[in-house]
Amino acid sequence: QSLGKFGGDTDNWEWPRHTADFSMFRIYTDKDGKPASYSADNIPLKPKYHFPISIKGLAEGDFAMIMGFPGTTERFLTSYGLEETMNITNRLTYEIRTVKINVLRKEMAASQEVRIKYASKYASCSNYWKYSLQQNKALKNLNTIEVKREIERNYLNWAKTQESTKYTEALSKIKNGYKGRAEAQVAIEYLSEGLLSGPELLYFAFRQSNNIAEFLEGKDVEKNAELRKKTMKAIDDFYKNFDIEVERKLLTEMIDYTYKNLDKNYYPEFFDNVLAKKFKGNASKYADYILKNSIFSSKDKLLAAIDGGKFRKTVVNDAAFAAGNSAMQMMRSIYNKTDKFDDDIADGEHYFVKGILKMNSEKFFAPDANSTIRLTYGNIKEYEPKDGVTYHFYTTLKGVIEKEDPNSTEFIVPEKIKTLYKNRDYGQYADKNGELPVCFITNNDITGGNSGSPVLDADGNLIGLAFDGNGEAMSGDIDFEENLQRCINLDVRYMLFIIDKVADAKHLIDEMTLVK
């Protein structure tokens, strides 16, 4: 925790960085090297090839290549789409998730058990909570919306010279589409972030009730058995990291916030019929009611309902299911009403992008990332985030020690690290100056989904693992700013140092091919 999450939310999307963000797994196969279920006879996988790991050191300008599976980017987004992203999606994601973040921080600080159970959930929530804030800051600082508008002005001048009116109509269709769905998009954010992914129970009850009913009532025995097995695993996984008191507070705060801020025209049915009428808008009392009366409030209750043969009859009036189902029905209703606007945007963007490519036929455009494997190449490179400031391309263990704060869970430094630092006991992993490298930056193009991607040098040796980007260029998914865009990477020398010197697992180092 102290090394792998060093810096926590404070350092997330920031450079300089001192985080040892890596995991290691050993993959096993059967004795013939084929995939197999667990067996004591299984053997470690023997791959056809593995990356050599270079500890030779890095220099400004060195080649760096990253392969991985990025999510998606929107480099051809128009100014109208950018307005929606900034003023609706990012703004509301940050505001609504702040409510959840505050609940989780308080509960995790008060209990070690809760901290462990909710660590992954918190990380998932906080990652794009801060991203949405940082991206808006970067977009404003870089005046990206004006960049987009200038592109659109040039596009319109070109479009007027074309025979097809599809090109001249494209931006109007896009503009009207975004304007037409704006109110609905606000409602979708509140329903999604506030009710379906804020507390956990409502969406879980909605989703699993359908699966449970299907395998209990289905006629295909084999299909039912497979679905039952899959659903039971989902149930086990859910309750393993579920705390009813944390959920009580999440239900209270998230429902209350959504109830007070969501446009009444988009209220899910349970807001009017239950929360308002029965509980006078008191979210705390409503949360107590759900947890007292829902079969989903505990694993034992849910399994008893499944095994008792009355699940379908019970779930129809279940408090958690009713709320989750009501929220989902409202979401579907909204999506149905915005179909026309979505189609207009898609149709307009088709001709807009086609026109941009046609009017710039001499230029090369990188296609948007679409969740398939991608390769990005560039160089190790420092940058200037603002006037009078230059960020060096690497950090060292000295920075870890400098950031130590015993009063903050985000900046705890283990005693063993401090002893190794004091003794300068870095083994073969020190650089030519006798310092221990921790992280480095490159100008590679990555996005969400790339975390953990291998960073390779010009000879195909592993030199790092990509895991983050810098806040000054969080606009990168929409407009790549080559002077500011940096990929933050873990230096393999810090990874090897931790495995060897901190974890005392030199036997793993012995299995690797090190290039010196």
Side-chain angles (χ1 to χ4, degrees):
Q1 175 83 6
S2 57
L3 296 176
K5 291 289 290 180
F6 188 80
D9 288 334
T10 302
D11 277 4
N12 196 17
W13 307 109
E14 303 284 353
W15 181 260
R17 196 64 173 274
H18 301 83
T19 309
D21 196 344
F22 75 95
S23 301
M24 291 188 70
F25 301 86
R26 188 184 294 287
I27 301 171
Y28 286 85
T29 69
D30 65 17
K31 63 181 187 307
D32 297 319
K34 296 179 179 178
S37 299
Y38 170 77
S39 168
D41 297 327
N42 285 348
I43 61 172
L45 171 70
K46 296 178 180 177
K48 293 180 179 178
Y49 180 83
H50 65 271
F51 287 130
I53 302 175
S54 173
I55 59 173
K56 290 193 295 185
L58 308 173
E60 172 85 5
D62 281 357
F63 176 87
M65 179 178 84
I66 297 175
M67 290 182 68
F69 289 87
T72 58
T73 56
E74 295 181 285
R75 302 273 168 76
F76 293 94
L77 191 68
T78 62
S79 63
Y80 310 108
L82 183 56
E83 286 176 334
E84 180 182 272
T85 296
M86 293 178 70
N87 300 330
I88 297 178
T89 308
N90 284 352
R91 178 178 66 84
L92 292 178
T93 294
Y94 182 76
E95 290 177 1
I96 301 170
R97 288 195 183 192
T98 296
V99 180
K100 182 173 182 176
I101 290 285
N102 288 338
V103 171
L104 292 182
R105 279 180 176 171
K106 184 177 179 180
E107 298 304 311
M108 291 168 73
S111 166
Q112 175 78 346
E113 182 182 355
V114 169
R115 185 183 69 78
I116 294 170
K117 282 184 175 181
Y118 284 80
S120 178
K121 300 173 190 178
Y122 177 86
S124 178
C125 179
S126 67
N127 195 34
Y128 272 81
W129 165 74
K130 187 168 183 181
Y131 175 88
S132 60
L133 176 69
Q134 292 291 81
Q135 187 181 62
N136 267 11
K137 284 183 178 180
L139 289 166
K140 288 175 183 175
N141 290 340
L142 296 171
N143 200 15
T144 306
I145 199 154
E146 186 52 42
V147 172
K148 294 290 185 182
R149 286 170 180 162
E150 179 63 21
I151 290 171
E152 289 158 13
R153 284 192 286 269
N154 293 333
Y155 166 82
L156 276 176
N157 289 334
W158 171 86
K160 291 172 184 175
T161 67
Q162 304 302 300
E163 289 185 15
S164 174
T165 58
K166 294 284 187 181
Y167 293 111
T168 52
E169 295 168 353
L171 282 176
S172 293
K173 293 188 80 169
I174 294 170
K175 178 182 178 180
N176 293 333
Y178 279 111
K179 183 179 179 181
R181 78 178 194 183
E183 187 181 276
Q185 287 300 117
V186 171
I188 287 170
E189 282 295 314
Y190 276 109
L191 291 167
S192 175
E193 293 288 344
L195 300 181
L196 296 172
S197 63
E200 293 188 271
L201 212 56
L202 306 188
Y203 183 68
F204 175 77
F206 167 79
R207 184 175 183 182
Q208 296 309 325
S209 63
N210 294 327
N211 291 336
I212 294 166
E214 187 176 342
F215 72 66
L216 286 176
E217 300 168 7
K219 295 180 180 179
D220 188 324
V221 177
E222 188 175 327
K223 183 180 177 181
N224 290 349
E226 184 61 33
L227 182 56
R228 183 182 186 112
K229 181 181 177 182
K230 183 178 178 180
T231 305
M232 287 304 177
K233 184 181 184 306
I235 290 171
D236 288 341
D237 291 345
F238 179 81
Y239 289 104
K240 179 176 66 177
N241 292 316
F242 177 79
D243 184 282
I244 194 168
E245 293 308 316
V246 175
E247 184 66 10
R248 189 185 308 277
K249 292 178 175 64
L250 285 173
L251 282 167
T252 298
E253 296 298 325
M254 302 310 296
I255 288 175
D256 183 65
Y257 189 84
T258 306
Y259 182 65
K260 290 175 178 175
N261 290 280
L262 175 62
D263 186 329
K264 290 181 173 58
N265 291 322
Y266 296 99
Y267 269 8
E269 188 180 9
F270 79 92
F271 269 17
D272 288 322
N273 293 348
V274 185
L275 180 58
K277 289 182 180 179
K278 191 170 183 178
F279 296 97
K280 310 301 180 187
N282 189 316
S284 179
K285 290 183 178 179
Y286 181 52
D288 291 341
Y289 167 77
I290 290 176
L291 295 176
K292 182 179 179 181
N293 294 282
S294 174
I295 59 173
F296 294 94
S297 62
S298 78
K299 182 179 176 181
D300 290 342
K301 278 187 183 180
L302 181 56
L303 294 182
I306 293 172
D307 296 334
K310 296 181 180 180
F311 178 79
R312 175 67 81 178
K313 186 177 180 180
T314 305
V315 80
V316 169
N317 298 310
D318 185 86
F321 171 75
N325 185 54
S326 176
M328 283 300 299
Q329 294 308 317
M330 178 52 72
M331 286 274 283
R332 287 170 176 167
S333 173
I334 294 171
Y335 280 126
N336 288 336
K337 290 176 182 177
T338 60
D339 275 352
K340 180 187 181 303
F341 301 121
D342 298 340
D343 289 343
D344 284 345
I345 292 169
D347 188 49
E349 286 179 341
H350 171 76
Y351 283 97
F352 173 68
V353 174
K354 187 176 180 181
I356 289 292
L357 297 176
K358 195 173 180 182
M359 66 184 279
N360 294 285
S361 58
E362 75 288 353
K363 289 176 62 178
F364 288 105
F365 287 87
D368 274 321
N370 60 358
S371 301
T372 58
I373 194 167
R374 292 296 172 96
L375 181 152
T376 167
Y377 62 91
N379 306 90
I380 292 170
K381 196 171 184 181
E382 61 184 25
Y383 72 106
E384 297 179 5
K386 52 190 174 183
D387 184 47
V389 176
T390 299
Y391 279 154
H392 198 35
F393 72 84
Y394 72 94
T395 58
T396 69
L397 189 60
K398 179 184 178 183
V400 175
I401 303 301
E402 289 175 343
K403 284 182 175 179
E404 182 185 18
D405 182 358
N407 298 313
S408 169
T409 56
E410 295 182 328
F411 295 98
I412 301 295
V413 181
E415 287 300 321
K416 192 166 186 178
I417 288 284
K418 288 191 277 190
T419 300
L420 290 165
Y421 173 77
K422 181 180 178 181
N423 297 332
R424 314 282 288 183
D425 185 6
Y426 306 147
Q428 61 184 331
Y429 313 114
D431 65 16
K432 61 184 179 182
N433 299 317
E435 299 288 346
L436 179 66
V438 171
C439 295
F440 65 94
I441 50 174
T442 65
N443 61 0
N444 293 105
D445 184 7
I446 69 161
T447 188
N450 264 120
S451 293
S453 297
V455 187
L456 308 176
D457 67 12
D459 297 313
N461 301 314
L462 185 69
I463 55 173
L465 297 174
F467 72 90
D468 210 350
N470 58 321
E472 299 90 356
M474 283 295 95
S475 58
D477 284 357
I478 294 169
D479 184 25
F480 189 88
E481 174 49 65
E482 60 185 37
N483 293 322
L484 285 177
Q485 198 91 17
R486 292 296 180 271
C487 172
I488 300 174
N489 313 284
L490 170 68
D491 194 304
V492 290
R493 289 170 289 179
Y494 191 42
M495 178 184 76
L496 296 174
F497 163 79
I498 291 171
I499 295 168
D500 187 346
K501 296 286 188 175
V502 182
D504 294 322
K506 189 176 182 300
H507 60 285
L508 296 178
I509 305 293
D510 293 339
E511 296 182 33
M512 303 175 189
T513 302
L514 300 188
V515 178
K516 303 177 183 180

